[in-house]
Every structure is written in C-alpha cells, then in structure tokens.
Amino acid sequence: MQPVRNLVVVLGDQLDLEASGFDGFDPLLDAVWMTEVAEESTHVWSSKQRTALFLSAMRHSAAEMRAAGRVVHYTAIDDPEGRGTLADQLTVDVVRLEPASLVMTAPGDWRVLESLRRVAAQADIPLEIREDRHFFCTVREFAAHVGERSTLRMEYFYREQRRRFGILMTPEGKPEGGAWNYDAENRKAFPAQGPGMVPPRAVFAPDEITRDVLTLVAARFADHPGRLDTFAWPVSRAQALESLTLFIDERLPWFGDAQDAMWPGEPWLWHAHLSAAMNLKLLHPREVVAAAEAAYRAGHAPLASTEGFIRQILGWREYVRGIYWTQMPEYARHNALDAHEPLPEWHWTGDTSMACLADAIGTTLENGYAHHIQRLMVTGLYALLLGVEPTDLHAWYLAVYVDAVEWVELPNTMGMSQFADGGLMGSKPYAASGAYISRMSPHCRACPFDPQKRIGADACPITTLYWDFLMRNETTLAANPRMALQVRNARLLDEEERTAISGRAAAIRRGEVGANA
C-alpha cells in the first residue's frame, strides 16, 4: 500500500468538497477518511430520518470525491470490520494506513473534537485542525467581539456583521430601508381561513444510494423514533442548490410576513428548509445570503422578508456558533433555573391531547423537521414551563431533527429556549401562556383545553404551567427587568389560586393531565 502523507478526516457534517481540510490536497499523496458509526445514532436516540440523511449524504459525497480522483477510505455502518465509534475506527485505520499526519476541518461537536484529539495523541501522530470556512465569522473573531463585554446580545453582533460584509447596506453605510430589523412586520398570524396556497415542499426522490440507506436504517434502527416513508431531503450538492433556488423563487417573498405563525397540518409553510443542507455543508451560508439579497435588489422579495431571513443566518446562526465554541464545555452543564423534571415520554410518540404539542411533535416524528416557532414556542416553551432538565431536552432536540448538529442545537436549547445559561445568550426566558399559542395559531380551537384558564379541569396545561413557572422562579425572575411585569402579575394572585395552580402543575408533572391522546 502506498504511504499516505495526509489522511483527511471528513465527518458527516463536513461534506463540502472544497472544505479547508482539502487545502493542498494531492491525490497522489493524500487520502480521505470517512466512516459511518453506530455511536453517532446512539449517543442520543437519533431519529430514523436524521440517521438516514447523514448516511445518504455521506455516501453521495464519497462518490463525488472518488469521481474527482480522490482516494477515499470509507467504512460503512454495516461493515463487519467496523468498530462502532469514530475514535475506535480511526485508531485501527491509523495503524493500517500509517499516515504521516491527520488533517481535518474543525468539527462542530466538542465531544467529537476531544475524542479525535485523544486518538491522535495516543497514536503519536500530528492532527491539524483547520478553520471551518462555512461561516462568516471565525471563532477567534467572535471571541474578540465578546472581549470585555459584560453582556452579549445578538442584535449588536448582527449589526457588526451587516456592516463588515456590506449586506443589506446602502452606499452611505446605512441599513437598507433605514432600520436594522423588521420584526414588527414579521409577526403576523394567518387569517382565519389559513395560510393560503403554500408551495409544495422541495422533494427529492430517493435514488439507489438513498434507498439502500433507508433499508439499512429501517432494519438496524427499527426501535428509533420517526418514520422513513416521507424521506425526501436533499442529499447532494446539486439537490441542495435546487432547494435554495426553489426557496428564493417560491417562498422568500412571503417568508417574513408570518414567519412566527403556525397552522395545523402545515409543517412547511413559507420556511426555507435549508438548515440541514447548510449544516451538512452542502450549501454555504454566503451563497444563501447572497441569493436572498439579490432577490430583494431585483424586486422579487420585500425588505422585511429578506432581512428577517438573512438575520437568521448572518445573525443567529453565527451567534450561536460563537457562543458554543467560546463557552464549551462548561456551557453544556448550565442549569440556571434549577430545572430537573424528566422529559415526558410522549415526546417520543406525540401521544398527547394538547393540540399544539401533538401537531409539533407529530410533524417532527414524521419529517424530522419542525419550524423555529414550533421548536421555541411550543416544545421548548412547554419544557421550560414544566421545568425539564435542560440536558434531557437537549438530547431530544439533537436526536429528532435532521438539521441538528451540536454547535447550533445546544446553544439554541440551553440558552434561547430554556434560559439555562442564565441570560448569557438571551435577555429573558421565552415564557408565555397558552394565549400566545391561541394568538399565533388555530390549535386551541380543536383542543380540549382553554388557553384563557389557569385552573380547572379544562385549563390549558401551558397556561397553568406558565403561572407556576413565574411563582417557582419568582426570586430569580424578579431581578430581570424584562420579566418584572410578569412577576408582578403573578404576585397579585391570592393564596387560594396560587395553591390551585401549584396543585394542577404537580398533576401535569405526574402525567395526569395532557399525557394521553
């Protein structure tokens, strides 16, 4: 076997053939290392759709690399010589291939980075970690932004990014339209008759590679959550680009108008569905942002929609990645609200009589997807109010969504959704009663619970838990200026009602309310 100079490690979320790990790649001297391992589907109970997406995209990427003349050492998950974990597989392959060094683009998971570093150290072989170019901002640049700031806020970071890259800016250096964001225009609910004619989701029929993966996943991970018959995600660069084009053409003009709205049985709405392709590195965020801005400047999409979409990528996506890499590993252990309730079992089945949660979890299990408001203000809200152990909810989100990679999922869960970081990432908990669900969707019309009631047999569990949350965390929340009004309202409740709320909340936690459809 010809000696290998650099063995380029490519992980399942690093599928860009032009990634930094390939800089200086010589097909006569270097080789690519890829492996499928059960560990990545079992360290959390990964859904069938999530596992299938990663495996299919990896196999398509490996085929493209081979077609480009690169030597690829690839171990499939059903290979009898497979070792089951990234670390064990790399250990044996380093011995077999005897590379002079290991090279890789920086991974998106602290656990994976540490395990691969240990392998290299134990094998006494150099491991070169290169910058991941699939972001606007490097980790070092974000750390410089953090600097000596006592508080972090995404809005200020986002404005810096806009200025730095000249995105949606006028020639005079002002934000396009005169404002930095247009949230006020992007929070509409749907009219009574619903969202209207929503374009069909971009669907990609499984080819032979994907069909083989679906068969494998169905057999090997039969007891994992979710289903496979709806699988239609883009698994190649070409399909990802087609998804981007379809979003810009068919959805972006209406994206902003009701991006926070929900409608039963409509999981896709006007959202982009591009996060999985971006997180696998099949799409670059720069090309996504550029396409959106070009659509605005061509008059195809209004400013409010375009800015709202770009903010999610240039702002939140970059911000949470910076939080992750500047705060780990301690960040994963935060629990500022001292929440320790277990995640209700029906999160794995959708078997609940609460209409909003049944819909959000049902579409999650069916498609490996739910849009951001379903995640933040339905499943995340319920867990926050219930007092779920943040790491339990983190493991669930990481398991069930096809776009879940830890660098983006963990901060969104621990910081934005659960306020477990005590306000490092967001200025207040996203706490609301059932009235929010009623305002942003028609779910409550078909639900046995009344969002306006906090006690009684038909009181909405979210509303009950909202008031219980304020009472349980009164001391902590009273110190937060943005929660002061809500805390004052809770303090106005008389003792009899407070006792009734606490009792009903305890029944909800015991699974006596809302647990069965």
Side-chain angles (χ1 to χ4, degrees), residues 335-407:
N335 192 349
L337 297 179
D338 197 30
H340 298 290
E341 289 294 319
L343 186 74
E345 282 297 314
W346 46 262
H347 277 67
W348 300 102
T349 64
D351 188 19
T352 173
S353 53
M354 291 174 278
C356 59
L357 282 152
D359 187 66
I361 295 174
T363 192
T364 292
L365 297 175
E366 180 176 356
N367 302 304
Y369 170 84
H371 62 74
H372 69 280
I373 289 299
Q374 290 176 305
R375 300 188 202 194
L376 177 64
M377 296 306 296
V378 180
T379 55
L381 172 64
Y382 187 81
L384 171 71
L385 303 181
L386 190 68
V388 169
E389 177 79 42
T391 52
D392 285 359
L393 186 66
H394 155 56
W396 185 74
Y397 279 131
L398 191 59
V400 298
Y401 291 116
V402 296
D403 57 4
V405 181
E406 191 175 84
W407 66 264

Side-chain angles (χ1 to χ4, degrees), residues 6 51 63 93-94 182 184 201 214 234 245 297 313 405 411 432 504:
N6 293 327
T51 294
D93 287 343
V94 163
Y182 293 86
R201 168 198 181 191
L214 296 177
T245 298
R297 297 202 179 279
I313 299 171
V405 181
R504 180 166 170 79

Side-chain angles (χ1 to χ4, degrees), residues 17-18 30 38 118 167 204 216 232 236 254 264 280 284 316 344 351 363 368 378 389 444 466 469 482 511:
L17 273 63
E18 304 301 322
D30 304 324
R118 284 193 295 271
I167 294 170
F204 300 93
L216 182 154
S236 68
W254 298 274
L280 294 179
H284 197 293
W316 270 116
D351 188 19
T363 192
V378 180
E389 177 79 42
C444 300
Y466 166 74
F469 172 80
R482 296 192 64 195

Side-chain angles (χ1 to χ4, degrees), residues 213-228:
V213 166
L214 296 177
T215 299
L216 182 154
V217 171
R220 182 163 185 138
F221 300 101
D223 62 340
H224 283 231
R227 51 191 281 194
L228 292 169

Side-chain angles (χ1 to χ4, degrees), residues 202-456:
V203 170
F204 300 93
D207 61 8
E208 183 178 359
I209 291 175
T210 301
R211 290 195 298 271
D212 287 345
V213 166
L214 296 177
T215 299
L216 182 154
V217 171
R220 182 163 185 138
F221 300 101
D223 62 340
H224 283 231
R227 51 191 281 194
L228 292 169
D229 59 316
T230 59
F231 188 91
W233 293 102
V235 293
S236 68
R237 167 75 171 158
Q239 291 179 346
L241 287 170
E242 185 177 344
S243 291
L244 173 59
T245 298
L246 288 171
F247 167 67
I248 297 297
D249 290 348
E250 300 178 354
R251 282 182 155 82
L252 178 61
W254 298 274
F255 168 84
D257 222 28
Q259 65 172 291
D260 287 3
M262 297 173 282
W263 197 265
E266 290 282 359
W268 310 110
L269 295 171
W270 305 99
H271 297 280
H273 325 136
L274 299 174
S275 54
M278 284 196 291
N279 293 350
L280 294 179
K281 314 300 168 55
L282 297 174
L283 283 177
H284 197 293
R286 290 178 188 252
E287 67 187 337
V288 176
V289 167
E293 183 172 15
Y296 160 69
R297 297 202 179 279
H300 176 66
L303 180 58
S305 282
T306 305
E307 187 280 320
F309 175 68
I310 286 176
R311 180 159 20 97
Q312 291 191 7
I313 299 171
L314 183 64
W316 270 116
R317 188 173 187 269
E318 298 283 324
Y319 186 70
V320 298
R321 190 228 184 188
I323 292 286
Y324 181 84
W325 284 111
T326 57
Q327 304 300 318
M328 284 293 283
E330 292 81 8
Y331 194 82
R333 296 189 284 269
H334 286 321
N335 192 349
L337 297 179
D338 197 30
H340 298 290
E341 289 294 319
L343 186 74
E345 282 297 314
W346 46 262
H347 277 67
W348 300 102
T349 64
D351 188 19
T352 173
S353 53
M354 291 174 278
C356 59
L357 282 152
D359 187 66
I361 295 174
T363 192
T364 292
L365 297 175
E366 180 176 356
N367 302 304
Y369 170 84
H371 62 74
H372 69 280
I373 289 299
Q374 290 176 305
R375 300 188 202 194
L376 177 64
M377 296 306 296
V378 180
T379 55
L381 172 64
Y382 187 81
L384 171 71
L385 303 181
L386 190 68
V388 169
E389 177 79 42
T391 52
D392 285 359
L393 186 66
H394 155 56
W396 185 74
Y397 279 131
L398 191 59
V400 298
Y401 291 116
V402 296
D403 57 4
V405 181
E406 191 175 84
W407 66 264
V408 65
E409 179 277 321
L410 179 67
N412 270 308
T413 301
M414 304 293 279
M416 189 177 184
S417 173
Q418 300 302 290
F419 204 68
D421 65 5
L424 176 66
M425 186 172 160
S427 59
K428 66 181 285 290
Y430 278 84
S433 71
Y436 174 85
I437 307 294
S438 179
R439 185 167 66 253
M440 300 307 296
S441 79
H443 284 305
C444 300
R445 300 177 203 163
C447 188
F449 300 109
D450 186 338
Q452 301 302 322
K453 293 184 178 180
R454 50 190 171 226
I455 55 175

Side-chain angles (χ1 to χ4, degrees), residues 42-124:
T42 57
H43 78 97
V44 294
W45 199 30
S46 185
S47 72
K48 296 183 182 75
Q49 288 240 2
R50 180 174 183 265
T51 294
L53 175 60
F54 273 78
L55 297 187
S56 179
M58 288 174 68
R59 293 185 183 190
H60 281 86
S61 181
E64 289 186 31
M65 290 183 199
R66 289 187 175 116
R70 297 175 184 175
V71 174
V72 181
H73 298 282
Y74 194 105
T75 305
I77 200 168
D78 54 352
D79 189 320
E81 300 299 317
R83 297 306 176 101
T85 74
L86 287 169
D88 288 348
Q89 191 64 51
L90 185 57
T91 296
V92 298
D93 287 343
V94 163
V95 173
R96 178 172 63 88
L97 300 171
E98 297 183 316
S101 66
L102 300 174
V103 174
M104 70 181 304
T105 298
D109 186 313
W110 181 275
R111 169 187 58 87
V112 169
L113 175 60
E114 290 300 289
S115 70
L116 297 183
R117 280 175 168 164
R118 284 193 295 271
V119 170
Q122 290 165 4
D124 193 24

